[in-house]
Amino acid sequence: MPAYRQPFIASSEITPEQCFVKRRSFLSMAAGGLIAAGSGLAATAAPLTAQQSTYKVDEELTPEKDVTGYNNYYEFGTGKGDPAANSASFKPSPWTIKVDGLVGKPKEFGLEELLAFPMEERVYRMRCVEAWSMVIPWVGFPLKALLDKVEPLGSAKYVAFETIVRPEEMPGQSGFFQPLPWPYREGLRLDEANHPLAILALGVYGNTLPNQNGAPVRLVVPWKYGFKGIKSIVRISLTETPPPSTWNLSAPSEYGFYANVNPAVDHPRWSQASENRIGGGGFFGSNRRPTLPFNGYADEVAGLYSGMDLKANF
Ligand SMILES: Nc1nc2c(c(=O)[nH]1)N[C@H]1C(S)=C(S)[C@@H](COP(=O)(O)O)O[C@H]1N2
Ligand SMILES: [Mo]
């Protein structure tokens, strides 16, 4: 069974001797490929073994330092560097996701059960609604594999997701300025959720997710804007009606339920026709490229929306 990094322990809480023991156990366990424990100085990633997948875009990977240093995760602040700077004491283990609603077999999945699904490494193009993009090697498994285990009822048409609420560990949930209503929520139509491209990611760049990327488990839906990729999921509910989603609740004229990447539908305050590819060395703005319909995944997913007006259903 793959193991996960241990809960983070603040360096102020441990003695040098504990630190030594922890470091030693980290080194021996990591060498065995079993676990990477917090050293007491920083949460350490554990390697995640994965099958190579055919879902790999043939584009240069965004450097790991940008994938883990340029983030949106408002629970830890609204600046791009805030999630990396403010999430070190977040505890991604132990963890459970409750899956309920219109299902035959509601179930709570522990982290070990999630890690036991066959993992694949998938290199996906990712496009944020703010008109920047990355190419990211996620490690995860199809969301459908999890949904199948709970046996969705015929009446289930949508899937609702919720992020954890933990103000003690999430400064964006406890400060005077609350940028969003919590918990962060997202939703998909059930057929979107069952599409093979939609995955639950537990890792990136070969290791378990850093806290700033949504540890221990987050959604990745590469044909939609980044905000659909809800992080640190604790609940998944199957519903008959469209679930609320955080950005749609906050600004319904700017963020729709579908949020499919669409260069032909501008955000009310900026164009979506092109994007800035993060990393790669150029000055900001010099790495522009056209945005592709469905973020380049039209061949795979356009059929999900045949007959729909994608300007009205943005
Ligand atoms: N819980 C939660 N999930 C979230 C967000 C957030 O603020 N809170 N931001 C979203 C947005 S806007 C984007 S672009 C992606 C960024 O994921 P990354 O930082 O791993 O690239 O996370 C999404 N998931
Ligand atoms: Mo985003």
Side-chain angles (χ1 to χ4, degrees):
M1 183 188 70
Y4 200 73
R5 64 184 141 168
Q6 292 177 346
F8 175 82
I9 303 168
S11 51
S12 57
E13 289 168 20
I14 59 169
T15 63
E17 188 188 278
Q18 281 174 306
C19 189
F20 173 71
V21 171
K22 286 202 158 287
R23 273 199 66 75
R24 270 183 49 115
S25 60
F26 162 57
L27 291 172
S28 59
M29 289 156 109
L34 290 173
I35 193 170
S39 67
L41 300 173
T44 311
L48 265 186
T49 40
Q51 302 283 319
Q52 293 304 305
S53 164
T54 49
Y55 293 105
K56 277 186 189 279
V57 295
D58 192 14
E59 287 176 33
E60 196 182 332
L61 294 182
T62 301
E64 188 172 1
K65 69 166 174 42
D66 296 313
V67 172
T68 63
Y70 189 92
N71 303 99
N72 273 334
Y73 197 169
Y74 278 25
E75 285 86 339
F76 293 109
T78 56
K80 301 294 177 232
D82 288 347
N86 299 335
S87 65
S89 57
F90 180 76
K91 296 180 188 67
S93 169
W95 198 268
T96 49
I97 299 186
K98 182 179 187 174
V99 189
D100 64 0
L102 300 174
V103 299
K105 295 189 171 162
K107 181 172 158 56
E108 292 196 8
F109 292 85
L111 189 48
E112 296 69 26
E113 286 170 279
L114 297 172
L115 286 161
F117 281 90
M119 298 283 166
E120 281 183 21
E121 182 175 77
R122 300 199 174 184
V123 178
Y124 280 168
R125 213 180 280 112
M126 305 299 296
R127 171 62 157 76
C128 178
V129 73
E130 295 168 281
W132 48 267
S133 64
M134 297 193 187
V135 176
I136 302 183
W138 298 111
V139 180
F141 64 89
L143 175 59
K144 181 178 192 303
L146 180 120
L147 296 177
D148 284 350
K149 296 232 188 242
V150 298
E151 300 180 7
L153 302 178
S155 52
K157 297 283 179 287
Y158 294 89
V159 185
F161 302 84
E162 273 181 38
T163 294
I164 197 163
V165 177
R166 212 186 261 170
E168 330 76 82
E169 294 176 19
M170 296 177 137
Q173 290 181 340
S174 54
F176 176 72
F177 172 63
Q178 301 275 318
L180 291 172
W182 314 115
Y184 193 100
R185 295 172 197 275
E186 261 307 336
L188 296 172
R189 244 172 33 197
L190 181 56
D191 59 340
E192 297 178 316
N194 280 331
H195 191 280
L197 281 170
I199 60 170
L200 288 175
L202 288 101
V204 70
Y205 264 103
N207 291 315
T208 53
L209 289 176
N211 288 340
Q212 60 268 34
N213 292 94
V217 55
R218 56 89 57 82
L219 181 67
V220 176
V221 197
W223 71 95
K224 292 179 180 278
Y225 290 120
F227 64 87
K228 299 299 277 189
I230 182 171
K231 296 175 170 180
S232 305
I233 299 166
V234 287
R235 187 163 177 201
I236 300 178
S237 303
L238 284 90
T239 65
E240 192 159 8
T241 52
S245 59
T246 296
W247 285 100
N248 181 247
L249 287 172
S250 303
S253 62
E254 301 190 9
Y255 310 103
F257 173 78
Y258 281 95
N260 290 319
V261 175
N262 191 341
V265 177
D266 288 340
H267 183 278
R269 293 183 281 131
W270 58 82
S271 165
Q272 297 291 28
S274 70
E275 65 203 50
N276 180 47
R277 180 62 54 87
I278 302 295
F283 285 118
F284 188 86
S286 68
N287 210 2
R288 281 226 156 248
R289 62 188 64 219
T291 286
L292 303 171
F294 300 105
N295 202 26
Y297 297 96
D299 287 350
E300 289 92 339
V301 302
L304 291 171
Y305 312 100
S306 54
M308 279 179 67
D309 176 352
L310 296 178
K311 287 204 154 90
N313 297 283
F314 62 96

Short mmCIF file of all heavy atoms in Angstrom, two decimals, residues 160-200:
data_model
loop_
_atom_site.label_atom_id
_atom_site.label_comp_id
_atom_site.label_asym_id
_atom_site.label_seq_id
_atom_site.Cartn_x
_atom_site.Cartn_y
_atom_site.Cartn_z
N ALA A 160 -21.41 17.31 -7.01
CA ALA A 160 -21.01 18.50 -6.24
C ALA A 160 -19.76 18.17 -5.41
O ALA A 160 -19.65 17.07 -4.86
CB ALA A 160 -22.15 18.92 -5.31
N PHE A 161 -18.85 19.14 -5.34
CA PHE A 161 -17.59 18.95 -4.60
C PHE A 161 -17.44 20.06 -3.57
O PHE A 161 -17.82 21.20 -3.82
CB PHE A 161 -16.39 19.06 -5.55
CG PHE A 161 -16.41 18.09 -6.70
CD1 PHE A 161 -17.12 18.37 -7.86
CD2 PHE A 161 -15.71 16.89 -6.62
CE1 PHE A 161 -17.13 17.48 -8.93
CE2 PHE A 161 -15.71 15.99 -7.69
CZ PHE A 161 -16.43 16.28 -8.84
N GLU A 162 -16.81 19.72 -2.44
CA GLU A 162 -16.52 20.72 -1.40
C GLU A 162 -15.10 20.58 -0.88
O GLU A 162 -14.62 19.47 -0.62
CB GLU A 162 -17.43 20.50 -0.18
CG GLU A 162 -18.76 21.19 -0.27
CD GLU A 162 -19.59 20.94 0.99
OE1 GLU A 162 -19.02 20.90 2.11
OE2 GLU A 162 -20.80 20.76 0.82
N THR A 163 -14.47 21.73 -0.67
CA THR A 163 -13.14 21.80 -0.05
C THR A 163 -13.29 21.84 1.47
O THR A 163 -14.32 22.27 1.99
CB THR A 163 -12.42 23.08 -0.53
OG1 THR A 163 -12.18 22.97 -1.92
CG2 THR A 163 -11.09 23.32 0.18
N ILE A 164 -12.24 21.44 2.16
CA ILE A 164 -12.24 21.47 3.62
C ILE A 164 -12.36 22.90 4.14
O ILE A 164 -11.94 23.86 3.48
CB ILE A 164 -10.94 20.81 4.16
CG1 ILE A 164 -11.09 20.45 5.63
CG2 ILE A 164 -9.71 21.69 3.91
CD1 ILE A 164 -10.05 19.46 6.12
N VAL A 165 -12.97 23.04 5.32
CA VAL A 165 -12.98 24.32 6.05
C VAL A 165 -12.15 24.10 7.31
O VAL A 165 -12.50 23.27 8.16
CB VAL A 165 -14.40 24.77 6.44
CG1 VAL A 165 -14.36 26.05 7.25
CG2 VAL A 165 -15.25 24.96 5.18
N ARG A 166 -11.04 24.81 7.42
CA ARG A 166 -10.15 24.63 8.56
C ARG A 166 -9.44 25.95 8.84
O ARG A 166 -8.25 26.11 8.57
CB ARG A 166 -9.14 23.53 8.23
CG ARG A 166 -8.70 22.73 9.44
CD ARG A 166 -7.62 21.77 9.05
NE ARG A 166 -8.06 20.42 8.83
CZ ARG A 166 -7.27 19.48 8.29
NH1 ARG A 166 -6.03 19.75 7.91
NH2 ARG A 166 -7.71 18.25 8.14
N PRO A 167 -10.20 26.93 9.42
CA PRO A 167 -9.65 28.27 9.61
C PRO A 167 -8.34 28.29 10.40
O PRO A 167 -7.51 29.17 10.17
CB PRO A 167 -10.75 29.01 10.38
CG PRO A 167 -11.95 28.15 10.34
CD PRO A 167 -11.58 26.80 9.86
N GLU A 168 -8.16 27.31 11.31
CA GLU A 168 -6.92 27.29 12.11
C GLU A 168 -5.70 27.13 11.21
O GLU A 168 -4.61 27.56 11.55
CB GLU A 168 -6.88 26.13 13.11
CG GLU A 168 -8.16 25.60 13.69
CD GLU A 168 -8.96 24.74 12.74
OE1 GLU A 168 -8.69 23.53 12.58
OE2 GLU A 168 -9.90 25.31 12.14
N GLU A 169 -5.89 26.47 10.07
CA GLU A 169 -4.74 26.19 9.20
C GLU A 169 -4.81 26.97 7.89
O GLU A 169 -3.88 26.88 7.08
CB GLU A 169 -4.67 24.68 8.89
CG GLU A 169 -4.37 23.84 10.12
CD GLU A 169 -4.40 22.34 9.85
OE1 GLU A 169 -4.29 21.93 8.68
OE2 GLU A 169 -4.56 21.58 10.82
N MET A 170 -5.91 27.70 7.68
CA MET A 170 -6.11 28.39 6.41
C MET A 170 -6.37 29.87 6.66
O MET A 170 -7.49 30.27 6.99
CB MET A 170 -7.27 27.74 5.65
CG MET A 170 -7.00 26.30 5.25
SD MET A 170 -8.41 25.52 4.44
CE MET A 170 -7.58 24.65 3.10
N PRO A 171 -5.32 30.70 6.51
CA PRO A 171 -5.46 32.12 6.87
C PRO A 171 -6.54 32.84 6.07
O PRO A 171 -7.16 33.77 6.58
CB PRO A 171 -4.07 32.69 6.59
CG PRO A 171 -3.29 31.65 5.86
CD PRO A 171 -3.94 30.34 6.15
N GLY A 172 -6.82 32.40 4.85
CA GLY A 172 -7.87 33.04 4.06
C GLY A 172 -9.26 32.77 4.60
O GLY A 172 -10.23 33.43 4.21
N GLN A 173 -9.38 31.78 5.50
CA GLN A 173 -10.68 31.46 6.11
C GLN A 173 -10.81 32.09 7.49
O GLN A 173 -11.87 31.99 8.10
CB GLN A 173 -10.86 29.94 6.24
CG GLN A 173 -11.04 29.25 4.90
CD GLN A 173 -11.24 27.75 5.03
OE1 GLN A 173 -10.90 27.15 6.05
NE2 GLN A 173 -11.80 27.13 4.00
N SER A 174 -9.74 32.71 7.99
CA SER A 174 -9.80 33.22 9.35
C SER A 174 -9.53 34.71 9.45
O SER A 174 -9.81 35.32 10.47
CB SER A 174 -8.80 32.46 10.24
OG SER A 174 -7.51 32.51 9.67
N GLY A 175 -8.99 35.31 8.41
CA GLY A 175 -8.60 36.71 8.48
C GLY A 175 -9.80 37.65 8.43
O GLY A 175 -10.94 37.23 8.21
N PHE A 176 -9.52 38.92 8.61
CA PHE A 176 -10.58 39.94 8.54
C PHE A 176 -11.17 39.97 7.13
O PHE A 176 -12.38 40.08 6.94
CB PHE A 176 -9.97 41.31 8.91
CG PHE A 176 -10.95 42.44 8.77
CD1 PHE A 176 -12.00 42.58 9.67
CD2 PHE A 176 -10.81 43.36 7.74
CE1 PHE A 176 -12.91 43.62 9.55
CE2 PHE A 176 -11.72 44.41 7.61
CZ PHE A 176 -12.76 44.53 8.52
N PHE A 177 -10.30 39.85 6.13
CA PHE A 177 -10.75 39.86 4.74
C PHE A 177 -11.04 38.42 4.29
O PHE A 177 -10.14 37.58 4.27
CB PHE A 177 -9.67 40.48 3.85
CG PHE A 177 -9.94 40.36 2.38
CD1 PHE A 177 -11.06 40.96 1.81
CD2 PHE A 177 -9.08 39.63 1.56
CE1 PHE A 177 -11.31 40.85 0.45
CE2 PHE A 177 -9.34 39.51 0.19
CZ PHE A 177 -10.45 40.13 -0.36
N GLN A 178 -12.28 38.13 3.99
CA GLN A 178 -12.66 36.80 3.53
C GLN A 178 -12.95 36.91 2.02
O GLN A 178 -14.00 37.41 1.63
CB GLN A 178 -13.91 36.32 4.27
CG GLN A 178 -13.73 36.24 5.77
CD GLN A 178 -13.11 34.92 6.22
OE1 GLN A 178 -13.46 33.87 5.71
NE2 GLN A 178 -12.19 35.00 7.15
N PRO A 179 -12.02 36.46 1.18
CA PRO A 179 -12.18 36.71 -0.25
C PRO A 179 -13.34 35.96 -0.90
O PRO A 179 -13.87 36.40 -1.92
CB PRO A 179 -10.84 36.25 -0.84
CG PRO A 179 -10.25 35.33 0.15
CD PRO A 179 -10.76 35.77 1.49
N LEU A 180 -13.73 34.82 -0.33
CA LEU A 180 -14.80 34.01 -0.92
C LEU A 180 -15.65 33.42 0.20
O LEU A 180 -15.18 33.30 1.33
CB LEU A 180 -14.21 32.84 -1.74
CG LEU A 180 -13.47 33.16 -3.05
CD1 LEU A 180 -12.79 31.90 -3.58
CD2 LEU A 180 -14.42 33.73 -4.10
N PRO A 181 -16.89 33.01 -0.12
CA PRO A 181 -17.66 32.27 0.89
C PRO A 181 -17.15 30.83 0.96
O PRO A 181 -16.88 30.21 -0.07
CB PRO A 181 -19.09 32.31 0.32
CG PRO A 181 -18.93 32.48 -1.16
CD PRO A 181 -17.62 33.20 -1.37
N TRP A 182 -16.97 30.31 2.15
CA TRP A 182 -16.47 28.93 2.33
C TRP A 182 -17.60 27.99 2.72
O TRP A 182 -18.55 28.44 3.32
CB TRP A 182 -15.37 28.90 3.39
CG TRP A 182 -14.36 29.98 3.24
CD1 TRP A 182 -14.13 31.00 4.11
CD2 TRP A 182 -13.43 30.18 2.15
NE1 TRP A 182 -13.13 31.81 3.63
CE2 TRP A 182 -12.70 31.33 2.44
CE3 TRP A 182 -13.18 29.49 0.96
CZ2 TRP A 182 -11.70 31.83 1.58
CZ3 TRP A 182 -12.21 29.96 0.11
CH2 TRP A 182 -11.48 31.12 0.42
N PRO A 183 -17.48 26.72 2.43
CA PRO A 183 -16.38 26.09 1.72
C PRO A 183 -16.40 26.42 0.23
O PRO A 183 -17.46 26.70 -0.33
CB PRO A 183 -16.64 24.59 1.92
CG PRO A 183 -18.13 24.48 2.04
CD PRO A 183 -18.56 25.74 2.75
N TYR A 184 -15.22 26.40 -0.36
CA TYR A 184 -15.11 26.46 -1.83
C TYR A 184 -15.89 25.27 -2.38
O TYR A 184 -15.78 24.15 -1.88
CB TYR A 184 -13.64 26.34 -2.21
CG TYR A 184 -13.29 26.68 -3.65
CD1 TYR A 184 -12.76 27.93 -3.97
CD2 TYR A 184 -13.43 25.75 -4.67
CE1 TYR A 184 -12.39 28.24 -5.27
CE2 TYR A 184 -13.07 26.06 -5.98
CZ TYR A 184 -12.54 27.31 -6.27
OH TYR A 184 -12.17 27.62 -7.56
N ARG A 185 -16.73 25.56 -3.39
CA ARG A 185 -17.57 24.50 -3.98
C ARG A 185 -17.40 24.49 -5.49
O ARG A 185 -17.22 25.54 -6.11
CB ARG A 185 -19.05 24.78 -3.73
CG ARG A 185 -19.47 24.75 -2.30
CD ARG A 185 -20.92 25.24 -2.21
NE ARG A 185 -21.24 25.62 -0.85
CZ ARG A 185 -21.66 24.75 0.07
NH1 ARG A 185 -21.83 23.50 -0.23
NH2 ARG A 185 -21.90 25.17 1.29
N GLU A 186 -17.53 23.32 -6.07
CA GLU A 186 -17.57 23.20 -7.52
C GLU A 186 -18.54 22.09 -7.91
O GLU A 186 -18.99 21.32 -7.06
CB GLU A 186 -16.17 22.92 -8.10
CG GLU A 186 -15.51 24.17 -8.65
CD GLU A 186 -16.39 24.91 -9.66
OE1 GLU A 186 -17.28 24.29 -10.28
OE2 GLU A 186 -16.22 26.13 -9.82
N GLY A 187 -18.85 22.03 -9.21
CA GLY A 187 -19.78 21.00 -9.68
C GLY A 187 -19.52 20.65 -11.13
O GLY A 187 -18.96 21.44 -11.90
N LEU A 188 -19.90 19.45 -11.47
CA LEU A 188 -19.84 18.97 -12.86
C LEU A 188 -21.15 18.27 -13.17
O LEU A 188 -21.82 17.77 -12.25
CB LEU A 188 -18.71 17.94 -13.04
CG LEU A 188 -17.26 18.40 -12.83
CD1 LEU A 188 -16.33 17.18 -12.86
CD2 LEU A 188 -16.86 19.40 -13.92
N ARG A 189 -21.49 18.21 -14.46
CA ARG A 189 -22.54 17.29 -14.87
C ARG A 189 -21.98 15.88 -14.70
O ARG A 189 -20.78 15.67 -14.86
CB ARG A 189 -22.90 17.55 -16.34
CG ARG A 189 -24.30 18.04 -16.57
CD ARG A 189 -24.56 18.46 -17.99
NE ARG A 189 -23.82 17.69 -18.99
CZ ARG A 189 -23.65 18.10 -20.25
NH1 ARG A 189 -24.17 19.26 -20.66
NH2 ARG A 189 -22.98 17.36 -21.11
N LEU A 190 -22.86 14.89 -14.44
CA LEU A 190 -22.36 13.53 -14.20
C LEU A 190 -21.61 12.98 -15.42
O LEU A 190 -20.59 12.30 -15.26
CB LEU A 190 -23.52 12.60 -13.80
CG LEU A 190 -23.14 11.15 -13.49
CD1 LEU A 190 -22.09 11.06 -12.38
CD2 LEU A 190 -24.39 10.35 -13.10
N ASP A 191 -22.10 13.31 -16.63
CA ASP A 191 -21.38 12.78 -17.81
C ASP A 191 -20.01 13.43 -17.97
O ASP A 191 -19.06 12.80 -18.44
CB ASP A 191 -22.23 12.89 -19.09
CG ASP A 191 -22.63 14.31 -19.43
OD1 ASP A 191 -22.62 15.20 -18.53
OD2 ASP A 191 -22.96 14.58 -20.60
N GLU A 192 -19.87 14.68 -17.55
CA GLU A 192 -18.54 15.32 -17.55
C GLU A 192 -17.63 14.63 -16.53
O GLU A 192 -16.45 14.35 -16.79
CB GLU A 192 -18.65 16.80 -17.19
CG GLU A 192 -19.45 17.64 -18.18
CD GLU A 192 -19.57 19.09 -17.72
OE1 GLU A 192 -19.82 19.35 -16.51
OE2 GLU A 192 -19.42 19.98 -18.57
N ALA A 193 -18.20 14.37 -15.35
CA ALA A 193 -17.42 13.74 -14.27
C ALA A 193 -16.96 12.34 -14.67
O ALA A 193 -15.89 11.89 -14.25
CB ALA A 193 -18.26 13.68 -12.99
N ASN A 194 -17.77 11.66 -15.47
CA ASN A 194 -17.42 10.31 -15.90
C ASN A 194 -16.49 10.28 -17.12
O ASN A 194 -16.06 9.22 -17.55
CB ASN A 194 -18.69 9.52 -16.24
CG ASN A 194 -19.37 8.98 -14.99
OD1 ASN A 194 -18.70 8.70 -14.00
ND2 ASN A 194 -20.69 8.82 -15.05
N HIS A 195 -16.20 11.46 -17.70
CA HIS A 195 -15.31 11.47 -18.87
C HIS A 195 -13.90 11.04 -18.46
O HIS A 195 -13.41 11.46 -17.40
CB HIS A 195 -15.27 12.88 -19.49
CG HIS A 195 -14.60 12.87 -20.82
ND1 HIS A 195 -13.23 12.86 -20.96
CD2 HIS A 195 -15.11 12.82 -22.08
CE1 HIS A 195 -12.93 12.80 -22.25
NE2 HIS A 195 -14.05 12.78 -22.95
N PRO A 196 -13.26 10.19 -19.27
CA PRO A 196 -11.95 9.68 -18.86
C PRO A 196 -10.88 10.75 -18.62
O PRO A 196 -9.90 10.49 -17.90
CB PRO A 196 -11.52 8.76 -20.03
CG PRO A 196 -12.54 8.92 -21.10
CD PRO A 196 -13.76 9.55 -20.50
N LEU A 197 -11.03 11.95 -19.16
CA LEU A 197 -10.03 13.00 -18.91
C LEU A 197 -10.16 13.61 -17.51
O LEU A 197 -9.22 14.24 -17.03
CB LEU A 197 -10.18 14.13 -19.94
CG LEU A 197 -9.59 13.92 -21.33
CD1 LEU A 197 -10.05 15.04 -22.27
CD2 LEU A 197 -8.06 13.88 -21.29
N ALA A 198 -11.31 13.46 -16.87
CA ALA A 198 -11.52 14.07 -15.54
C ALA A 198 -10.90 13.17 -14.48
O ALA A 198 -11.28 12.01 -14.34
CB ALA A 198 -13.01 14.26 -15.26
N ILE A 199 -9.93 13.70 -13.74
CA ILE A 199 -9.23 12.86 -12.76
C ILE A 199 -9.23 13.50 -11.37
O ILE A 199 -9.37 14.72 -11.22
CB ILE A 199 -7.76 12.57 -13.18
CG1 ILE A 199 -6.95 13.87 -13.32
CG2 ILE A 199 -7.72 11.74 -14.45
CD1 ILE A 199 -5.44 13.62 -13.50
N LEU A 200 -9.07 12.65 -10.38
CA LEU A 200 -8.69 13.09 -9.04
C LEU A 200 -7.18 12.96 -8.98
O LEU A 200 -6.64 11.87 -9.19
CB LEU A 200 -9.36 12.24 -7.97
CG LEU A 200 -10.86 12.45 -7.80
CD1 LEU A 200 -11.43 11.46 -6.79
CD2 LEU A 200 -11.19 13.89 -7.38
#
